[in-house]
């Protein structure tokens, strides 16, 4: 289980039986429930481009999460790993954790009534990352489940990925990034940086890592930034990743990714080294925070990527 901030292809989500906790995004004139539906997400991007400025997001409440489990999930599954977007950016982890106490105290009569024997277990994890980083950890858990690894092995892998997964985001247009950051009191993109960036086409590279988001570099031009990001991923593959997975997301039609400089070289190297690349539409929450047409990429490594 994960929330809709997780950037993974819908086909992968469905094929692996991943349950999505939806997030509701509201503005002055619209409300959108993000269930990781690609068509609906693309339509939401279009709405953002029509001039909306400030959005508020709301996860399922504690009671809604509890009801989802007790009405359905405790009967369908014996063990659930719930992997949430970094707790410092959302209350999803807090709500899921609170709900888990009631679920674990109440599931037995529900399973007995449905004729399901044995215990039910639930573990909630703060991934410490966001968007494609969250997608990477979820994809890795799905891989280990397919390989029939033990629960203990999966937990240890999650704990390792919490420490080592790095997610990088590059906006194409700074307007939405700055508006949303200002509404939340986030000073990642200050006025001076915004004015300079807008005038000179300078983009920040923002990293989500170990529960924090911060700018770690600047590049001139979106395509130049994409090229540097793909080059950094190639360097990490060559040096050795801690998980054979890279996740990439884009806030628009994902076909554009294939035309960005450096993409084909990354795909070729990943194929040679046995690294799987998952490409998905950027979540609606990500698009709200960094703007439509933004690019994001994540990998797990003991070496921090540098963009100085």
């Amino acid at each position: 289980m994960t929330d809709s901030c997780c950037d993974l292809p819908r086909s992968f989500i469905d094929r692996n039986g991943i349950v999505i906790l939806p997030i509701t995004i509201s503005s002055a004139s619209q409300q959108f429930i993000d269930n990781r539906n690609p068509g609906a997400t693309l339509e939401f991007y279009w709405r953002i481009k029509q001039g909306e400025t400030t959005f508020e997001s709301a996860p399922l409440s504690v009671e809604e999460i509890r009801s989802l489990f007790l009405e359905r999930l405790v009967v369908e599954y014996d063990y659930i790993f719930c992997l949430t977007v970094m707790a410092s950016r959302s209350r999803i982890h807090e709500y899921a954790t609170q709900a888990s106490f009631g679920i674990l105290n109440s599931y037995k009569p529900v399973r007995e009534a449905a004729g399901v024997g044995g215990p039910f277990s639930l573990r909630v994890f703060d991934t410490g990352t966001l968007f494609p980083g969250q997608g990477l950890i979820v994809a890795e858990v799905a891989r280990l489940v397919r390989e029939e690894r033990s629960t203990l092995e999966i937990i240890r892998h999650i704990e390792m990925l919490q420490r080592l997964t790095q997610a990088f985001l590059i906006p194409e247009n700074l307007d939405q990034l700055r508006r949303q950051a200002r509404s939340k009191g986030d000073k990642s993109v200050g006025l001076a940086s915004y004015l300079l960036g807008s005038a000179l086409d300078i983009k920040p590279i923002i990293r989500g890592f170990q529960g924090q988001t911060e700018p770690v570099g600047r590049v001139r031009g979106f395509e130049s930034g994409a090229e540097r990001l793909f080059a950094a991923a190639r360097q990490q593959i060559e040096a050795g990743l801690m998980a054979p997975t890279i996740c990439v997301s884009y806030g628009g039609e994902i076909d554009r990714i294939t035309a960005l400089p450096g993409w084909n070289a990354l795909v070729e190297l990943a194929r040679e080294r046995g690294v799987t690349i998952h490409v998905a539409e950027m979540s609606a929450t990500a698009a709200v925070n960094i703007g439509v047409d933004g690019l994001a990429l994540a990998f797990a490594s003991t070496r921090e990527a540098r963009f100085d």
Side-chain angles (χ1 to χ4, degrees):
M1 168 179 280
T2 189
D3 55 76
S4 58
C5 290
C6 174
D7 286 349
L8 279 173
R10 186 73 225 190
S11 58
F12 182 91
I13 290 169
D14 293 340
R15 188 165 62 250
N16 288 277
I18 298 167
V19 178
I20 296 294
L21 293 172
I23 296 173
T24 300
I25 300 172
S26 303
S27 69
S29 64
Q30 62 177 291
Q31 185 177 84
F32 175 73
I33 299 177
D34 186 6
N35 284 299
R36 294 297 309 179
N37 179 296
T41 301
L42 289 173
E43 167 124 4
F44 181 72
Y45 296 160
W46 179 83
R47 293 181 192 173
I48 294 177
K49 287 184 174 181
Q50 303 313 299
E52 291 287 357
T53 56
T54 302
F55 296 84
E56 296 288 338
S57 60
L60 293 182
S61 68
V62 173
E63 184 55 39
E64 287 171 328
I65 296 172
R66 182 177 179 276
S67 296
L68 173 63
F69 273 84
L70 295 179
E71 292 172 8
R72 178 187 140 205
L73 300 181
V74 300
V75 173
E76 295 182 2
Y77 301 96
D78 294 327
Y79 201 115
I80 290 182
F81 296 96
C82 179
L83 302 153
T84 74
V85 69
M86 64 168 63
S88 60
R89 305 292 294 189
S90 170
R91 302 191 72 178
I92 296 171
H93 179 264
E94 175 189 343
Y95 290 172
T97 299
Q98 290 180 22
S100 70
F101 302 136
I103 294 162
L104 293 174
N105 286 328
S106 307
Y107 77 83
K108 289 183 180 179
V110 179
R111 282 171 70 93
E112 289 172 359
V116 179
F120 170 82
S121 297
L122 165 66
R123 286 286 299 267
V124 181
F125 293 89
D126 171 10
T127 64
T129 184
L130 70 175
F131 313 145
Q134 186 180 350
L136 184 152
I137 297 178
V138 172
E140 279 291 291
V141 171
R143 179 178 67 84
L144 296 190
V145 170
R146 291 195 305 272
E147 294 176 1
E148 300 184 348
R149 301 290 190 90
S150 71
T151 298
L152 181 58
E153 286 179 294
I154 294 173
I155 290 172
R156 286 176 174 170
H157 197 57
I158 292 170
E159 291 172 344
M160 181 268 289
L161 293 174
Q162 287 174 312
R163 300 190 304 271
L164 301 179
T165 299
Q166 304 175 57
F168 298 91
L169 303 91
I170 301 176
E172 183 161 55
N173 186 307
L174 297 181
D175 292 345
Q176 178 63 24
L177 171 64
R178 183 171 181 274
R179 280 196 297 262
Q180 196 68 9
R182 185 171 55 184
S183 73
K184 294 183 175 182
D186 185 339
K187 298 180 180 179
S188 296
V189 182
L191 177 59
S193 296
Y194 167 74
L195 294 174
L196 179 63
S198 298
L200 300 179
D201 196 27
I202 294 174
K203 317 294 186 186
I205 299 176
I206 300 166
R207 183 179 67 175
F209 181 53
Q210 296 183 349
Q212 302 294 323
T213 54
E214 60 180 348
V216 292
R218 294 189 301 175
V219 292
R220 178 168 290 184
F222 177 77
E223 292 200 353
S224 175
E227 187 172 22
R228 288 188 64 183
L229 194 54
F230 296 151
R234 291 200 308 273
Q235 291 171 358
Q236 296 289 343
I237 292 174
E238 289 171 343
L241 296 172
M242 296 303 292
T245 300
I246 286 176
C247 286
V248 180
S249 61
Y250 178 67
E253 296 281 356
I254 59 175
D255 288 348
R256 187 189 175 193
I257 294 176
T258 63
L260 291 172
W263 173 253
N264 290 335
L266 173 59
V267 171
E268 182 177 350
L269 179 61
R271 186 183 300 116
E272 291 174 359
R273 301 297 178 88
V275 174
T276 299
I277 300 180
H278 296 288
V279 181
E281 295 83 8
M282 187 174 285
S283 71
T285 301
V288 160
N289 282 279
I290 75 165
V292 175
D293 298 326
L295 176 70
L297 181 147
F299 48 73
S301 172
T302 57
R303 294 160 296 278
E304 294 187 28
R306 307 299 301 180
F307 299 92
D308 297 337

